[in-house]
Amino acid sequence: MKSSEYISLEDTFGAQNYKPLDVVLERGQGIWVWDVEGNKYMDCLSAYSAINQGHCNPKIMDALVGQAQKLTLTSRAFRNDQLGPFYKELCELTNSRKVLLMNSGAEAVETAIKAVRKWGYMVKGVPEDRAEIIVCRNNFHGRTVTIISFSTDPGSSTGFGPFTPGFKVIEFGDAGDLEAAITDKTVAFLVEPIQGEAGVIIPPDGYLRDIRNICTDTGITLIFDEIQTGLGRTGKLLAEEHENVEADLTLIGKALSGGFYPVSAVLSNAEVLGVLKPGEHGSTFGGNPLACAVGRSALKVLVEDGLIQNAEKMGLYFKEELKKMNNPNIKEVRGRGLLIGVEFHPETEGARQYCEKLKNAGLLCKETHHNIIRFAPPLTITKDDIDWALARIIPILSK
Ligand SMILES: *Cc1c(COP(=O)(O)O)cnc(C)c1O
């Protein structure tokens, strides 16, 4: 079948909740993917940073296949031999005390919301059903009804009410705004260390440290959503390390499986997850042996293959070269590690046209909002690969 036939099948039978570029992929290896006509593309999206270890990473694939032949799912009614070791490795790597495993990122966010509410009632003494959680304007934390209840993007929330109460929105990057918003009912501040979907928005230096101090001083929990920024993407294992701070809860997902399988986790200090008792939360697939085996391998690859350091080095090179473009339509090039945004002035024709042209030149990326392009290739990318990408990006983005 040709691309056009696959596209027509998708459009005929599928709900149209996405507007993908018209490229039908059938194979991937490392930073490269191939379409059904055999055309090769560099993947500069990495499935929204779920493919940090590269497509079909052979070590993770071995772990997946090996475990799939032994045991895939027990449910948490029983224990399994992959769960404990995965917990331990995750805790040691991220300096956490407790872990709760889920599947999608949104489920990790939902889990954190439940845990901090309960913590607020049991430990902090907030009156039942009155807990408030503070979040930021232009946040992205997923697509469930509770999560879109505090989205400020009308496209995400319009038409899906009634919404879950208990959230308060403040400005991202303004620590004073957080201080002003906290009341005696506040249980948590949920924030992305860098806002990915909003267009790679990097807060001012010192922000993460300031909000850490404010949360400590006022006795509320700090939750970092590192589902996109975590696991090496920004040149550190977790983006919080850029300012040497630690959240009370850290949410990871996406690259936790290297893109093979949905695996997410809530990483916690001892106290907050400690409030959850047997029967109060769960998931049929959460913590299954297949997910754990894949997750263990995905973490090992990140560390042992030096992908975190590579993201830092290659990201810096990529960003500095992109900054040399002098197109008056470009407002800013910014990023940390291999999470890079190129923002066009809003009055320009938008970023989609560039993504279409880049696709035709053999490079896949996606606009976020209408005027920002995000470049986030797998962390296995080399300098030669980046030069290959720049040779295509620069001529296209310069006009
Ligand atoms: C992708 C993402 C999520 C949601 O993850 P899903 O697996 O799509 O549910 C949550 N937060 C951030 C920051 C994300 O980038």
Side-chain angles (χ1 to χ4, degrees):
M1 273 204 312
K2 289 191 311 204
S3 283
S4 56
E5 295 169 86
Y6 288 104
I7 291 167
S8 124
L9 280 180
E10 282 191 22
D11 290 351
T12 306
F13 297 108
Q16 256 134 64
N17 55 330
Y18 279 92
K19 188 180 166 215
L21 290 179
D22 282 336
V23 55
V24 181
L25 302 173
E26 67 164 13
R27 188 160 71 84
Q29 189 180 35
I31 61 168
W32 301 102
V33 287
W34 286 263
D35 70 12
V36 291
E37 273 85 25
N39 299 306
K40 179 182 175 184
Y41 304 86
M42 184 186 286
D43 182 358
C44 280
L45 182 67
S46 307
Y48 302 97
S49 298
I51 312 275
N52 288 1
Q53 298 88 340
H55 285 276
C56 296
N57 184 289
K59 291 176 193 162
I60 307 175
M61 183 156 57
D62 282 348
L64 176 94
V65 171
Q67 187 62 41
Q69 289 169 335
K70 280 177 71 186
L71 184 68
T72 58
L73 182 63
T74 56
S75 86
R76 296 285 307 282
F78 312 115
R79 299 176 187 263
N80 73 72
D81 73 345
Q82 293 297 311
L83 188 60
F86 188 32
Y87 282 162
K88 180 162 184 279
E89 287 157 17
L90 258 178
C91 282
E92 285 173 356
L93 195 60
T94 62
N95 197 25
S96 308
R97 300 285 300 282
K98 291 269 178 203
V99 184
L100 196 157
L101 292 176
M102 296 295 283
N103 310 287
S104 67
E107 286 174 321
V109 175
E110 290 272 353
T111 301
I113 291 170
K114 287 174 70 175
V116 295
R117 282 180 167 183
K118 186 120 205 216
W119 172 86
Y121 304 133
M122 288 183 58
V123 178
K124 210 185 163 193
V126 173
E128 185 81 27
D129 289 345
R130 304 290 297 280
E132 289 170 357
I133 296 171
I134 299 172
V135 298
C136 287
R137 188 172 309 287
N138 297 321
N139 69 72
F140 182 84
H141 298 288
R143 299 293 197 168
T144 64
V145 169
T146 287
I147 293 171
I148 61 158
S149 295
F150 54 86
S151 171
T152 58
D153 168 26
S156 298
S157 57
T158 305
F160 300 125
F163 298 115
T164 307
F167 300 95
K168 197 188 252 183
V169 178
I170 64 168
E171 294 306 317
F172 179 68
D174 182 343
D177 222 25
L178 172 64
E179 216 159 8
I182 294 172
T183 72
D184 54 3
K185 299 187 201 69
T186 308
V187 296
F189 179 39
L190 167 63
V191 63
E192 301 154 84
I194 294 173
Q195 288 188 323
E197 296 310 301
V200 192
I201 311 296
I202 301 171
D205 281 344
Y207 178 68
L208 302 184
R209 220 170 320 127
D210 290 346
I211 60 176
R212 174 66 276 179
N213 290 336
I214 292 167
C215 290
T216 304
D217 293 347
T218 54
I220 69 168
T221 56
L222 176 61
I223 310 169
F224 278 148
D225 180 343
E226 296 240 25
I227 293 167
Q228 187 160 156
T229 56
L231 303 177
R233 175 53 56 189
T234 70
K236 301 275 186 195
L237 179 72
L238 298 171
E240 64 179 26
E241 293 167 38
H242 288 289
E243 295 195 14
N244 273 319
V245 298
E246 271 185 38
D248 300 294
L249 296 178
T250 301
L251 315 180
I252 54 176
K254 291 199 166 109
L256 187 52
S257 70
F260 279 89
Y261 193 91
V263 185
S264 66
V266 179
L267 308 171
S268 166
N269 60 21
E271 190 175 276
V272 181
L273 282 182
V275 302
L276 296 178
K277 299 287 176 258
E280 294 181 345
H281 187 62
S283 156
T284 303
F285 278 82
N288 72 72
L290 188 60
C292 293
V294 167
R296 294 177 72 188
S297 176
L299 288 179
K300 203 160 169 234
V301 166
L302 272 183
V303 174
E304 289 183 0
D305 292 2
L307 299 187
I308 303 166
Q309 296 85 336
N310 192 58
E312 181 184 16
K313 232 167 89 190
M314 291 301 123
L316 200 59
Y317 174 66
F318 199 178
K319 183 175 69 177
E320 292 309 313
E321 292 302 307
L322 287 171
K323 275 188 176 168
K324 292 180 186 162
M325 282 187 293
N326 60 16
N327 176 353
N329 290 334
I330 295 178
K331 189 174 162 204
E332 190 181 37
V333 175
R334 57 176 176 260
R336 202 153 271 167
L338 282 167
L339 184 59
I340 298 172
V342 177
E343 179 170 354
F344 295 86
H345 287 289
E347 63 277 14
T348 59
E349 279 169 60
R352 177 83 179 194
Q353 48 151 343
Y354 292 114
C355 294
E356 299 277 0
K357 286 180 193 155
L358 287 168
K359 179 200 86 177
N360 295 334
L363 189 144
L364 298 180
C365 58
K366 186 75 165 65
E367 77 278 8
T368 176
H369 294 268
H370 89 289
N371 61 325
I372 303 167
I373 303 181
R374 169 178 33 195
F375 291 110
L379 312 185
T380 54
I381 198 165
T382 65
K383 181 166 178 295
D384 284 349
D385 299 327
I386 291 177
D387 288 333
W388 185 97
L390 289 165
R392 280 143 191 90
I393 295 168
I394 290 174
I396 289 172
L397 263 55
S398 294
K399 39 179 197 269

